[in-house]
Amino acid sequence: MAKALKKNAAAEATAPCGRFAAGEDPAKRGQIIDGAKRVFLRMGFDAASMNDITREAGVSKGTIYVYFKDKEDLFAAMVEAEREAFLAALRIILAKDDDMETSLYTFGIRFLERLTDEKSITAMRMVLGVRERMPDLCSRFFRGPQNLRTVLHEYLVRQVAKGSLVIDDIDLATGQYLDLASGSFFKFRLFGTMPEPPSQEEMVRVIRGAIRVFMAAYSRHDESVIARAPL
Amino acid sequence: MAKALKKNAAAEATAPCGRFAAGEDPAKRGQIIDGAKRVFLRMGFDAASMNDITREAGVSKGTIYVYFKDKEDLFAAMVEAEREAFLAALRIILAKDDDMETSLYTFGIRFLERLTDEKSITAMRMVLGVRERMPDLCSRFFRGPQNLRTVLHEYLVRQVAKGSLVIDDIDLATGQYLDLASGSFFKFRLFGTMPEPPSQEEMVRVIRGAIRVFMAAYSRHDESVIARAPL
Amino acid sequence: MAKALKKNAAAEATAPCGRFAAGEDPAKRGQIIDGAKRVFLRMGFDAASMNDITREAGVSKGTIYVYFKDKEDLFAAMVEAEREAFLAALRIILAKDDDMETSLYTFGIRFLERLTDEKSITAMRMVLGVRERMPDLCSRFFRGPQNLRTVLHEYLVRQVAKGSLVIDDIDLATGQYLDLASGSFFKFRLFGTMPEPPSQEEMVRVIRGAIRVFMAAYSRHDESVIARAPL
Amino acid sequence: MAKALKKNAAAEATAPCGRFAAGEDPAKRGQIIDGAKRVFLRMGFDAASMNDITREAGVSKGTIYVYFKDKEDLFAAMVEAEREAFLAALRIILAKDDDMETSLYTFGIRFLERLTDEKSITAMRMVLGVRERMPDLCSRFFRGPQNLRTVLHEYLVRQVAKGSLVIDDIDLATGQYLDLASGSFFKFRLFGTMPEPPSQEEMVRVIRGAIRVFMAAYSRHDESVIARAPL
DNA sequence: TATGAATGAGCCTTCATTCAT
DNA sequence: AATGAATGAAGGCTCATTCAT
């Protein structure tokens, strides 16, 4: 019955064009990944059993093995999905045509929220924990081709092109803003030293500080230009 | 036979007072932890089997279970031992009566070496990876009562008492020196972005820089005071 | 697309009279059996998966289950078909109006070729291997109502009726020719002692010998008797 | 409880010298092989599950995997044991100092009994059935280094050396006696054409016939020569 | 009618833990 | 006190079969 409901939901969501090929229905894929995510986050990679995931995802064991080669593949897919979702949200912010400080601010806040969120932190710990067995996963996760750094980098490139920013080494500047924005929160959260995500105020303070430093270094200095102009 | 040898060696090493109570012989305890460390580092917590450890430690299964409640307990003990060893080395440095810059330098280098060493990094990843199941272990490891921070903190307290340093917030200063000393190396190593530990030169550069900043902020400025005084 | 082609081909081959009832189209049935045969011979009964057969036959899983009750039923049908094909070839030879020695010779050679052929040998091993679970299949295969023995038996009956042979116990004679013709080859092949089928020469030698013995025992000796009589 | 009994029995049978190394206790090994044999014979290789064997052998799953690498290894061991038992019985007969005809007779009868016995026949079918996956097993079984042929061959060599027999090609003669002794029974039994082993009388008849032919061909004809000589 | 995605029982195997020796 | 053989629950994964489309 739970099954039937889920199936219908999936069908409605994706329905019009009939049936998907085996292992190709994105709704079902998502359903599996969702279940897997819950179980993996709760138990860790090894302690999570495929049976748990089966139960949590509301899908049969065989189906999981149609969509994913094995447990590692499923885990990798979940991690990838997580990263994708993380990025998607931030990409949108930087795509908007807001003025730069607003963009950097919203980006910073969302980034920090996400970065220090219990689920993200747990996921990162897990990825680090299985690194010995799945080194590729770890690399892709922390410096994959489509990562956060790239997203911000592209934004800064656009701003420089527009003349809003004056940056020599954009790579460096990208890293700097991210480091400034994450503050020490990330490390504290990762190691469990800080048991809760920072409060909204703490985050605002850090992000404001980050922007101040960043803009001081890289914004166009019209006035100073003017100031120097007289001569 | 290898076993027999080990046994004798252990017995001799600790012998004088006769026989130890069950699970109390520190040599045997160490022998088990050593074997366990090798296996855990090589395979990760879950992938390591008690049989592997048995073999590597040259001790029987039953004996392990006399000394340690279960696999988790053994793992925790190994982690604890590792942290202890880490600290012991650094404690000695700060206990010596060297002049302060030398002490901070040697401390910094040893700290950074150890921090970025493949084995330490692997151990930290492991501890993070099993955090969901063994949260206490993780906490104890990263902020246990007898941690690095304390060691350095006590040293700084002594220096302040002697008047060699002028520090308002010693807690803060402790963290600052550690952060300065670890640089970005730690994060890069942890995430695998930096596949090898930094070279000796890189470390020297970072530690020198850390000391410069640290001393600029906190060393007694007698001369300058005097220098400024005359006016 | 490969699938579509096959379907069309089948449809055309059998088309005229419209559509077949479910599980009744003999072309499709043959197509399934053919695919199954290839897979079963390659993998053995248990190791062959219905998916493999599906793929090899170019027919969907459901369709197979319309034509055959289950895997065992499909296997039995394939075995039966194989036996049928085996017999059909030999029946034709004995139906021709060639002189008897020619018939027996050709029959013998074809029989021996087939009997020692890798595919037949593999099939027999398989049938023997699943006997515990499918005892009827084995019986039908080795002494089914329409077997080799019957075919040759009927032929000999006809020859006796024509007066070409003089045989008391035709059952016995039937068995004897088959035993003589198979020689020791069959056992050796079945047990793998003889890794390749016998060469053409070896077969010719054995069959010639078989015919010599058989004819010596059962051919009409009228003329020779008469011939000798006069003296 | 069954377990306890079995254990005690095993203990008594092997007891005096304490404990066996893992996977080395021959009583336990035998116990496992016995259980496995019953299950394998009943179900065939693939259809037999390790759980069935576990239950039938009265031993835990883990223990089986200490004694045998995997299912195939267990099966091979059972087949080997079966062959060994088969040979041992016959070896004894030929080792006795009976007169030759008696030896050959007893050997023949025992051989035929065993060869046509339901269990042997089933085992052979199984070995043939898994040949594709375990070709070595099949070879070893049917022409292994220590097989029946060798045993009889050695006996004949001894008789020739003693002058009791006059044989040119002992290899050939060995095969001939075995073929004569097995008659057609083996094939019929293997294929299930003969549902029961032959009766004692049938066996006696076949073996008597075999000995008559064999002795006619190979026994020393001294006396008869002498007997004939006088004339 | 034909399809093939989904099912889930059941497979082989591993391994933390116990307990008789 | 130390040993290590035995245990058996639980693991990941396959595949014959069903049934909605």
Side-chain angles (χ1 to χ4, degrees), chain B residues 60-62, chain D residues 7 10-11 14-28 67:
Chain B
S60 91
K61 205 96 74 80
Chain D
K7 229 185 213 161
T14 61
C17 52
R19 208 189 199 171
F20 284 100
E24 301 280 289
D25 180 346
K28 184 145 288 184
Y67 280 79

Side-chain angles (χ1 to χ4, degrees), chain B residues 142-198:
Chain B
F142 288 112
R143 36 166 189 161
Q146 260 309 48
N147 68 14
L148 198 68
R149 208 164 278 264
T150 324
V151 171
L152 182 56
H153 189 274
E154 284 163 5
Y155 176 77
L156 295 182
V157 166
R158 287 202 302 279
Q159 299 305 316
V160 170
K162 284 203 324 201
S164 317
L165 290 177
V166 178
I167 307 179
D168 244 23
D169 185 339
I170 301 188
D171 262 349
L172 181 64
T174 305
Q176 285 172 329
Y177 186 68
L178 292 176
D179 279 348
L180 286 165
S182 60
S184 316
F185 290 148
F186 178 54
K187 216 170 69 180
F188 291 161
R189 291 287 290 139
L190 191 62
F191 294 154
T193 315
M194 182 185 250
E196 297 284 329

Side-chain angles (χ1 to χ4, degrees), chain C residues 49-50 61 65 71:
Chain C
S49 88
M50 291 303 270
K61 205 96 75 81
Y65 279 88
K71 198 186 181 184

Side-chain angles (χ1 to χ4, degrees), chain B residues 80-133:
Chain B
E80 191 61 24
E82 200 59 1
R83 200 189 55 150
E84 229 3 280
F86 188 117
L87 286 184
L90 298 175
R91 226 191 310 251
I92 288 173
I93 293 167
L94 296 184
K96 282 195 194 137
D97 214 15
D98 294 332
D99 80 291
M100 195 167 51
E101 295 211 11
T102 306
S103 288
L104 284 180
Y105 177 81
T106 318
F107 176 88
I109 292 287
R110 292 285 167 276
F111 165 62
L112 194 44
E113 275 173 1
R114 193 90 190 214
L115 191 71
T116 59
D117 172 74
E118 189 62 31
K119 274 165 34 181
S120 301
I121 289 293
T122 305
M124 286 181 192
R125 286 193 198 117
M126 253 165 52
V127 172
L128 290 174
V130 299
R131 189 175 185 270
E132 227 59 25
R133 274 171 295 166

Side-chain angles (χ1 to χ4, degrees), chain C residues 128-141:
Chain C
L128 290 173
V130 298
R131 189 173 186 269
E132 227 60 25
R133 275 172 293 167
M134 309 160 69
D136 295 354
L137 175 68
C138 197
S139 317
R140 263 222 326 272
F141 188 64

